[in-house]
Amino acid sequence: MPSTTYPDPLLGCTSGCRRAERVLSGRRRISAMMVDIQIQQCYHVRVKEVDVREPDALDEKIFGLLAENGRMSNLEVAAKVGVSEKTVRQRIRRLIERDGMRVVATMDHKAPPSRLIVLVRVESGQRFVVADRMASMPQVDEVHLTTGAYELVVLASFESDSDALEFYVRHVEQGPGIEESLSTHVVETITGSTAARPDHFEQFDKQASSAGSMSELLDLACDVATASLGADRVHVAAGNVLPGDPTLSPWPSTMRWRGLSSRYVEEIRVKGQAEGIILPNIVKHNQHVFVADAATDPLLRSVADLVVSEGFHSWLGLPVCNDDTRSGTLCLYWNNIITYREDLVRRAQELADTLGKHLPRYSSEPSDVPA
């Protein structure tokens, strides 16, 4: 008899349908297993090892070269550090991406022509009052509260040395609440890149050691000043330019000059004693003063007629010191107007300091200038 199939009451189909369903179910289970495997494979993530090394010596060398010259090529850097260009390229990429290195353009800001540092001792209870008053002045860059002999350190910048001197006299020496002060003029700011430099006056130092008299020493200083500093005229005085100071000798025991008339030198000497003009102020405040045009600058107003008749324009005056003892002055003159140059002032002060080192050997010599 032919086989007969009966409907399955649960599935609503024949037994042949049940067999087909079992086959389909098996395929579904296999398909589901494959999907599960694929999902597991998709979520099996391999974590890449991250390079967290600190910059090494080579990185530091590369960074230093680029900091000094950001336009240096990879080949130039490679030649200087002794590795291949490819290594330098990889290191630079890593320094940029990992360490945040940036190669940028900057502009050097020119230092103010005249900078002053003032140590201030204040009256009792006036520390903050004086500090606030000084900090509010446009010439003042910073005011520091300090411990020790002086309560305040004031840093200020000016367009000229005459402005600096006027500020010091008017706002510090005559300032309310200030008991005592000490000022110093910034000649140059020395950094690691500028610290090593040759001694411009080594030969002068050697020759000064063998000078037979103070006159010979000052003549030598005049010759060096005109030859090495480019001054058209020079005046150097040894001794005290403040006759009222009992701790030092009377008016300069010796003076020497180049390119100046005897009339000018004598009248400056007399006016300095009688009126306390700028030359005594240089020594009193122990700082250099630069005047671009002496014929019009208010600091030299009292001797303007002398300046015009003498025919010079720019003028630089510096103290000559031995340790903390004032020993005299060095004044340089230029026939034309020149601009303030920090390197010129530094070199002139080097000459003045070298001269001051040798002056004590002749302190017992008699004066050659009339009282």
Side-chain angles (χ1 to χ4, degrees):
M1 279 181 71
S3 62
T4 304
T5 60
Y6 298 94
D8 189 308
L10 296 176
L11 298 177
C13 64
T14 63
S15 58
C17 290
R18 285 196 298 270
R19 285 194 299 271
E21 181 66 26
R22 282 195 294 271
V23 173
L24 290 173
S25 296
R27 290 177 178 174
R28 290 193 189 101
R29 284 196 296 272
I30 294 172
S31 177
M33 290 173 63
M34 293 176 66
V35 171
D36 183 57
I37 292 172
Q38 291 175 353
I39 292 174
Q40 290 183 22
Q41 289 175 342
C42 289
Y43 284 91
H44 181 64
V45 179
R46 294 182 62 191
V47 179
K48 183 180 180 181
E49 182 179 355
V50 179
D51 185 0
V52 293
R53 291 183 302 169
E54 293 294 325
D56 58 17
L58 179 57
D59 291 329
E60 296 291 345
K61 289 180 181 179
I62 294 173
F63 176 80
L65 290 170
L66 293 177
E68 185 177 330
N69 179 9
R71 300 183 65 182
M72 186 178 294
S73 68
N74 291 352
L75 282 173
E76 290 178 296
V77 174
K80 289 182 178 292
V81 300
V83 298
S84 68
E85 188 273 340
K86 179 180 179 181
T87 299
V88 168
R89 184 167 12 98
Q90 292 173 341
R91 292 298 185 104
I92 290 176
R93 183 186 300 115
R94 189 172 67 186
L95 286 169
I96 292 174
E97 296 176 353
R98 183 194 67 184
D99 301 307
M101 183 183 77
R102 295 291 182 269
V103 181
V104 298
T106 60
M107 182 177 293
D108 290 336
H109 295 284
K110 187 178 180 180
S114 184
R115 291 175 291 167
L116 203 64
I117 298 176
V118 184
L119 306 181
V120 179
R121 182 180 298 148
V122 300
E123 297 174 357
S124 178
Q126 295 296 303
R127 176 196 296 249
F128 295 103
V129 175
V130 174
D132 290 342
R133 177 173 63 83
M134 299 297 291
S136 66
M137 297 180 181
Q139 304 95 327
V140 174
D141 301 319
E142 297 175 356
V143 177
H144 299 273
L145 301 177
T146 59
T147 59
Y150 296 89
E151 290 87 359
L152 303 178
V153 176
V154 180
L155 283 70
S157 302
F158 307 90
E159 288 301 317
S160 67
D161 289 339
S162 59
D163 292 340
L165 186 59
E166 181 181 357
F167 170 87
Y168 183 79
V169 172
R170 179 174 297 179
H171 299 294
V172 179
E173 284 192 333
Q174 302 174 3
I178 296 178
E179 184 177 284
E180 184 181 341
S181 64
L182 180 65
S183 69
T184 180
H185 223 117
V186 178
V187 175
E188 182 185 16
T189 300
I190 299 177
T191 63
S193 60
T194 62
R197 60 171 180 264
D199 186 351
H200 296 290
F201 301 106
E202 183 177 354
Q203 186 63 29
F204 169 70
D205 192 17
K206 293 179 180 178
Q207 293 175 336
S209 300
S210 59
S213 65
M214 181 179 290
S215 297
E216 184 180 342
L217 175 64
L218 299 187
D219 280 329
L220 180 61
C222 287
D223 293 339
V224 172
T226 53
S228 300
L229 300 176
D232 298 306
R233 319 175 194 202
V234 60
H235 178 279
V236 60
N240 180 25
V241 295
L242 292 175
D245 190 342
T247 63
L248 297 175
S249 61
W251 183 256
S253 61
T254 303
M255 294 190 296
R256 286 293 183 270
W257 57 90
R258 296 287 187 276
L260 298 169
S261 67
S262 298
R263 171 180 171 270
Y264 171 85
V265 173
E266 178 60 22
E267 292 203 30
I268 284 293
R269 185 179 75 85
V270 173
K271 283 181 175 290
Q273 287 179 302
E275 304 173 17
I277 59 171
I278 187 172
L279 194 62
N281 281 334
I282 296 172
V283 180
K284 179 181 177 182
H285 300 304
N286 216 23
Q287 64 186 34
H288 74 263
V289 177
F290 174 78
V291 175
D293 190 356
T296 59
D297 196 284
L299 281 178
L300 294 172
R301 183 182 296 113
S302 63
V303 291
D305 57 333
L306 284 175
V307 172
V308 173
S309 64
E310 202 68 18
F312 66 87
H313 284 281
S314 294
W315 178 87
L316 173 63
L318 308 103
V320 176
C321 300
N322 177 254
D323 293 330
D324 295 329
T325 303
R326 297 188 298 267
S327 305
T329 57
L330 171 65
C331 298
L332 307 175
Y333 303 75
W334 286 268
N335 295 336
N336 300 317
I337 296 176
I338 67 169
T339 58
Y340 180 92
R341 298 203 330 266
E342 194 171 83
D343 66 307
L344 174 63
V345 176
R346 171 179 55 77
R347 294 181 65 196
Q349 191 62 62
E350 284 182 17
L351 175 59
D353 292 345
T354 306
L355 174 62
K357 182 179 71 172
H358 293 279
L359 282 177
R361 303 206 319 267
Y362 311 100
S363 58
S364 60
E365 285 190 4
S367 171
D368 68 353
V369 177

